[in-house]
Amino acid sequence: FRDTITAEVLKWRGGDATILSSGDPDKPSLSHGEQFAIHFSSGMLAEAVACVIYVPVDVVKERMQVQQKGKCDPRNYQYNGSWDALRRIMKTEGVSGVYRGYGATLASYGPFSALYFMFYEQFKSRSREYIQHQMQENESQNNGALKRVEDGDLPLTHLVACSAGAGALASWLTSPLDMAKLRLQVQRGQNATASKTGDMTSQQTRQYQGMLHCLRAAYKEAGIPGLFRGAGARVIHFAPATSITMTCYEKCRSFYADALS
């Protein structure tokens, strides 16, 4: 359990650090359509780079979660920890084994990051316009100079609302992709365990050929509700997570920008 938690922390913090260090493409001279395209493509590209870091951690995590005790010694599990699992996967399956599922992971988290940053930047833009309008009314009465509103000038409540709203929307819209990715992960883990233990019955229960095949199978089983099964729990997870991450990021960025200026 401890090793699984460690792998999960490494996955999320490494991915978040990579995405947040990708820069801020928001430029006031760009049209709304250009900003949409830049934020969407930047989020997708940042996730593609982040996947290089945390897909191996994700593979180790899923192997640790579905591993079974060995037949020769029922007291011991197949892997003795995260590093042992990574070493064994590299030794037996090579680099391709460590990056197995990269496409499915990118197909799930790529659209999420792209939609999230697109929504987030648009929400922040609307918040800046609202604050700017309020300041303009106050300054017009006092005949003062008007200051351009930056991200760091947004109130805490606005940052929380923008990040949580973007996280909720993006996570709900990409729930079918995440559901398919998780099913493929479970299948890969079960197949890997079955091949090690010699029990091939679990491999014959259900075989998804890929993301699209998994989505079609879920739709055939339960229709649209089947595709969005677990969407509420996903929203409950991502809305506060993205809110805390991005609010801290914006406030820290503003603090260090003021301190270094």
Side-chain angles (χ1 to χ4, degrees):
F1 177 77
R2 181 187 62 190
D3 291 314
T4 303
I5 293 296
T6 302
E8 187 71 9
V9 170
L10 287 172
K11 183 188 84 169
W12 282 108
R13 294 310 102 204
D16 285 347
T18 304
I19 292 174
L20 293 180
S21 63
S22 301
D24 184 6
D26 188 25
K27 298 293 182 182
S29 59
L30 298 175
S31 66
H32 287 295
E34 290 173 332
Q35 290 185 23
F36 265 108
I38 289 176
H39 294 145
F40 187 89
S41 58
S42 296
M44 192 76 178
L45 181 59
E47 190 64 45
V49 177
C51 281
V52 175
I53 296 175
Y54 66 66
V55 163
V57 182
D58 206 32
V59 170
V60 170
K61 177 179 71 74
E62 71 183 46
R63 297 289 181 90
M64 294 286 293
Q65 287 176 331
V66 301
Q67 69 172 329
Q68 299 177 356
K69 292 184 178 181
K71 289 183 177 181
C72 298
D73 189 356
R75 296 171 301 176
N76 297 326
Y77 284 99
Q78 180 182 353
Y79 303 116
N80 296 322
S82 298
W83 291 112
D84 180 61
L86 179 61
R87 181 179 59 82
R88 292 195 182 189
I89 295 171
M90 284 287 294
K91 183 177 180 180
T92 58
E93 304 176 38
V95 177
S96 61
V98 175
Y99 282 97
R100 183 164 294 147
Y102 177 90
T105 303
L106 181 59
S108 172
Y109 285 114
F112 168 79
S113 293
L115 289 172
Y116 175 79
F117 282 103
M118 185 182 70
F119 288 139
Y120 179 62
E121 292 297 337
Q122 290 302 312
F123 291 164
K124 281 201 306 179
S125 177
R126 297 296 180 269
S127 293
R128 287 195 300 268
E129 290 177 1
Y130 174 78
I131 299 297
Q132 189 83 35
H133 179 71
Q134 296 294 321
M135 292 176 58
Q136 190 173 9
E137 290 184 349
N138 294 334
E139 294 297 338
S140 62
Q141 295 176 359
N142 300 328
N143 295 324
L146 188 61
K147 175 186 174 183
R148 183 177 182 270
V149 179
E150 303 292 343
D151 289 346
D153 299 325
L154 292 177
L156 179 64
T157 54
H158 284 242
L159 289 175
V160 171
C162 290
S163 53
L169 271 174
S171 60
W172 185 81
L173 289 173
T174 57
S175 288
L177 299 175
D178 186 65
M179 177 271 300
K181 180 188 74 72
L182 289 175
R183 290 192 180 187
L184 290 171
Q185 278 184 323
V186 172
Q187 177 179 277
R188 287 196 305 269
Q190 290 175 343
N191 290 346
T193 301
S195 63
K196 293 291 184 181
T197 60
D199 181 15
M200 305 304 293
T201 57
S202 61
Q203 288 185 303
Q204 299 172 358
T205 56
R206 172 176 291 177
Q207 286 289 333
Y208 297 116
Q209 305 301 321
M211 290 283 288
L212 291 178
H213 182 246
C214 188
L215 289 171
R216 284 197 297 266
Y219 178 78
K220 188 176 180 180
E221 290 173 2
I224 297 296
L227 293 176
F228 285 90
R229 187 170 295 158
R234 180 171 162 83
V235 170
I236 292 174
H237 166 75
F238 274 103
T242 53
S243 177
I244 294 171
T245 299
M246 296 307 298
T247 301
C248 292
Y249 166 74
E250 294 288 1
K251 288 302 181 181
C252 288
R253 187 177 70 164
S254 177
F255 171 79
Y256 285 116
D258 292 340
L260 296 175
S261 61

